[in-house]
Amino acid sequence: LVIAWLTWVLASLRWLEFTRGTIVTLFVFLLLISCSIAISHYKRISYWIRTNKKYILKVELLWLGLFIFDLLIRRANPDLWHPVYGGEKPMDFSYFNAVIKSTYFPPYDPWFSGGHINYYYYGFFVVAVLIKAIGIDPAVGFNLAVPMFFALTVAGAYTVVYNLADGTCGDRRPRWSPILGGLVAGLLVAVAANLDGAIQMGQGVWRVLVEGVPFGEFDFWRSSRMMPPDPPGFEITEFPFFTFLFGDLHAHMIAIPFTILKK
């Protein structure tokens, strides 16, 4: 986040171009600052790592497991240009490529020659910094970014509630209570925010077991359009798991883990 912000500021001021060299230079700069802080606080940092190594390992493995879980979902449907099921991916991908290819900012508008993007694009830029630094195909990077943000969201919610429970209950609490609280928090934030999906599952099971008919298709669009149509409207009530499942690399999804970070 820090490297992306510094890169964006320098490229927006046209002091440096948006290149891999700029990103690497800023990375080394931040690395030197981090090393100096680590050396000056070596005893405190090493003590914290020694006393919390199990917690660190648990959170890292949790993040990795969540990333692999959502990556398998993206692997099942990696298409970014389907005319019906693509959703906003064609728009997102075009803006994403424009950000990656731009030298200075604001980036050029891929839909209007000679213009600039009149749209919130900084979320794309955060991902673009990673893509440009690593040098992988933007389409692959797009499908890697979605599970990355899913894992960051759940792991972030987990760590917030874990530390709240661990810091307030003291020795009176069971050992597993912070872990349980953290897992429930991640589930509520990123998965169970809308119960219509569970209702649909129940309706499908009812059709199979009671009515003797097929389960039917799962309509995730229905769950994202929950406002009653009276008066007629098309109010969108998207929720985190809908976006992570559908795979749109959109601003309202990218912002979730950064919002949790502020907590």
Side-chain angles (χ1 to χ4, degrees):
L1 180 61
V2 174
I3 293 174
W5 184 80
L6 290 173
T7 304
W8 177 78
V9 169
L10 293 173
S12 297
L13 294 173
R14 296 179 176 259
W15 291 358
L16 291 175
E17 295 181 348
F18 180 40
T19 62
R20 183 181 297 173
T22 299
I23 299 170
V24 172
T25 300
L26 291 172
F27 173 79
V28 173
F29 173 71
L30 188 63
L31 179 64
L32 293 174
I33 295 176
S34 300
C35 288
S36 65
I37 295 174
I39 292 172
S40 60
H41 296 80
Y42 171 77
K43 291 184 178 180
R44 291 177 59 187
I45 295 175
S46 60
Y47 174 78
W48 186 88
I49 293 176
R50 287 196 307 271
T51 55
N52 293 277
K53 56 185 178 182
K54 290 184 178 180
Y55 169 74
I56 296 172
L57 181 61
K58 289 176 184 177
V59 174
E60 294 298 328
L61 290 176
L62 174 66
W63 187 94
L64 181 61
L66 293 165
F67 176 81
I68 293 174
F69 169 76
D70 203 52
L71 183 63
L72 293 175
I73 294 177
R74 294 303 314 135
R75 185 177 183 272
N77 183 27
D79 187 8
L80 303 179
W81 202 257
H82 194 283
V84 177
Y85 300 110
E88 295 181 322
K89 295 182 192 66
M91 181 198 74
D92 290 334
F93 194 45
S94 65
Y95 284 165
F96 183 51
N97 278 290
V99 171
I100 292 175
K101 295 178 181 179
S102 292
T103 305
Y104 300 107
F105 295 93
Y108 72 87
D109 191 334
W111 304 103
F112 180 53
S113 179
H116 294 92
I117 291 180
N118 184 21
Y119 194 72
Y120 34 87
Y121 65 86
Y122 185 73
F124 298 133
F125 182 79
V126 172
V127 181
V129 168
L130 290 172
I131 301 305
K132 181 157 285 194
I134 299 172
I136 62 176
D137 187 277
V140 176
F142 189 106
N143 281 319
L144 289 176
V146 174
M148 178 186 73
F149 286 117
F150 174 75
L152 287 173
T153 297
V154 180
Y158 173 89
T159 55
V160 170
V161 175
Y162 178 98
N163 285 284
L164 286 173
D166 189 54
T168 57
C169 296
D171 296 332
R172 296 171 297 172
R173 55 153 177 84
R175 278 187 184 177
W176 46 264
S177 62
I179 298 175
L180 178 62
L183 292 175
V184 170
L187 180 68
L188 292 175
V189 169
V191 179
N194 187 315
L195 298 179
D196 183 68
I199 293 173
Q200 287 196 57
M201 294 292 291
Q203 292 171 339
V205 172
W206 176 270
R207 285 192 293 268
V208 173
L209 298 180
V210 179
E211 299 177 0
V213 296
F215 182 91
E217 292 187 359
F218 185 88
D219 186 4
F220 53 84
W221 289 109
R222 185 188 101 176
S223 301
S224 68
R225 303 296 188 273
M226 297 299 293
M227 299 291 287
D230 186 19
F234 199 63
E235 292 80 4
I236 300 174
T237 54
E238 292 186 12
F239 50 98
F241 191 63
F242 170 85
T243 307
F244 290 126
L245 180 65
F246 194 46
D248 279 347
L249 187 62
H250 212 57
H252 58 263
M253 183 253 279
I254 298 173
I256 297 174
F258 295 129
T259 303
I260 295 175
L261 179 62
K262 295 190 297 183
K263 306 301 182 183

